[in-house]
Amino acid sequence: METTWQIQLQGATNTGYQADLYILDLFDTPQSVITDLQASGRKVICYFSAGTYEEWREDEGRFTAADKGGQLDNWPGERWLNTRSTNVRSIMVDRLTLAAEKGCDGVDPDNVDGYSNQTGFPLTYDSQLDYNRFLFNQAQSMGLAVSLKNDVEQVADLIDYVDFAVNESCHEWQECHRLLPFVEAGKPVFHIDYIYSQDPDGHAIHCQHMGSLGYRSLTLPVALDDSYRFSCD
């Protein structure tokens, strides 16, 4: 659980941090970046959205109209997916295959909590569990480590299927305690804060809190473009 980390999903990757693990975009990260990071002893986790359609992705034409639901607030060109769809699941298996082919050490599938959002589909707690377990089992069958991204309400049901957690803003929603089973199981929790970049005193208090929980927290821009980075380490 002492793993240091960095996440960057936009812009040319800054590989200069003393971080053991990098989370980078599956589609946009050049193969050479993945290879070079691994050659220097770092692990690379490849990010993709497993629960939403993004109109700019190279495989966007494979999604049918029936697969696509409501728009995501504040994310133009992104819509919720019907994760019960066999077509959606087939596309996600191919994304996992791409991650394995690129040599990613693991994956960070995002938006795996559609059931708790206004997706336009009748997704339920149980249908979400079914999809997430399917996704995680597929990843691990390919030798990929896999994260639980947010979805804190399903931690107890999913912790045995994943290797680590990536969480955004649990401190803002007062739900960080829900991730403690990861620490108890010896699995890391990587946390992102978006509010303390201009508040050094608040950031120091935040880091004390994260440290007491055993989480590794970074303060980053919402765009995750490396325009700034403040680490609790």
Side-chain angles (χ1 to χ4, degrees):
M1 293 192 298
E2 298 303 313
T3 303
T4 55
W5 76 296
Q6 164 66 347
I7 180 169
Q8 183 181 344
L9 301 182
Q10 298 190 67
T13 305
N14 180 351
T15 60
Y17 294 110
Q18 295 299 313
D20 303 314
L21 178 149
Y22 272 73
I23 299 178
L24 303 173
D25 190 85
L26 170 63
F27 294 102
D28 295 342
T29 305
Q31 183 68 59
S32 60
V33 172
I34 296 173
T35 303
D36 290 349
L37 281 168
Q38 291 172 329
S40 65
R42 269 82 72 84
K43 300 292 187 183
V44 177
I45 304 299
C46 292
Y47 167 97
F48 66 95
S49 179
T52 64
Y53 162 86
E54 299 163 311
E55 65 181 16
W56 57 91
R57 296 303 188 184
E58 61 191 49
D59 59 2
E60 62 87 20
R62 294 181 57 190
F63 295 97
T64 69
D67 291 333
K68 293 177 279 190
Q71 298 276 348
L72 272 72
D73 293 338
N74 303 316
W75 297 100
E78 189 167 1
R79 296 168 63 179
W80 289 103
L81 287 171
N82 181 4
T83 51
R84 301 165 304 163
S85 160
T86 55
N87 183 55
V88 167
R89 294 186 181 209
S90 176
I91 294 167
M92 295 307 159
V93 170
D94 287 346
R95 289 184 174 186
L96 292 169
T97 301
L98 176 62
E101 290 173 346
K102 294 184 78 166
C104 307
D105 295 290
V107 288
D108 178 32
D110 200 3
N111 299 306
V112 293
D113 55 357
Y115 81 98
S116 64
N117 290 273
Q118 298 298 314
T119 64
F121 301 112
L123 304 181
T124 66
Y125 187 100
D126 287 339
S127 73
Q128 189 72 60
L129 280 183
D130 179 73
Y131 178 67
N132 291 354
R133 287 170 176 164
F134 164 81
L135 196 69
F136 302 156
N137 284 336
Q138 289 290 323
Q140 295 194 334
S141 74
M142 297 181 192
L144 296 164
V146 62
S147 74
L148 178 64
K149 185 70 163 280
N150 300 320
D151 195 23
V152 295
E153 293 171 351
Q154 296 191 324
V155 166
D157 292 308
L158 292 172
I159 188 168
D160 291 340
Y161 294 81
V162 295
D163 302 287
F164 58 100
V166 179
N167 179 270
E168 298 169 291
S169 306
C170 67
H171 57 307
E172 292 187 59
W173 303 102
Q174 299 183 336
E175 58 188 17
C176 291
H177 62 284
R178 292 178 178 265
L179 294 162
L180 285 171
F182 278 89
V183 177
E184 294 163 1
K187 298 180 179 183
V189 175
F190 301 116
H191 176 264
I192 305 170
D193 156 59
Y194 296 120
I195 62 177
Y196 288 119
S197 64
Q198 304 298 317
D199 181 2
D201 292 338
H203 183 255
I205 294 169
H206 167 73
C207 287
Q208 289 177 352
H209 179 216
M210 292 294 104
S212 70
L213 295 172
Y215 303 168
R216 317 295 287 195
S217 186
L218 301 174
T219 294
L220 301 169
V222 173
L224 297 174
D225 60 1
D226 194 49
S227 55
Y228 60 81
R229 178 183 187 266
F230 300 98
S231 173
C232 286
D233 295 320

